[in-house]
Amino acid sequence: MHHDGALVGTAMSFAVSTSVPGGAVLPGAAVSRVGVRADRTRRGVLTALIRAQLDDTAARGEVLSTL
């Protein structure tokens, strides 16, 4: 995420399959490399990053998200 041309936070995920009780295997996202610059904390950056990531994974049909 950028603010005023500066990188202030990052987050990434990759596709995974997760076995759940009952034997089903569900598509999901493994969330990784989440970080916010120390001088940008408490300003909603992390919330915006995770919201965008959850919206993106839902659009891809991934029903689980794990950190």
Side-chain angles (χ1 to χ4, degrees):
M1 170 178 274
H2 289 87
H3 185 265
D4 293 332
L7 181 64
V8 296
T10 62
M12 66 163 283
S13 67
F14 52 93
V16 296
S17 296
T18 304
S19 298
V20 296
V25 177
L26 300 177
V31 178
S32 182
R33 298 183 186 213
V34 177
V36 175
R37 275 182 31 178
D39 64 337
R40 299 297 177 128
T41 60
R42 313 272 314 155
R43 297 180 190 187
V45 174
L46 180 60
T47 299
L49 285 169
I50 297 301
R51 172 55 36 214
Q53 194 152 59
L54 289 172
D55 291 344
D56 185 51
T57 58
R60 291 195 309 254
E62 297 168 339
V63 297
L64 300 172
S65 209
T66 58
L67 180 60

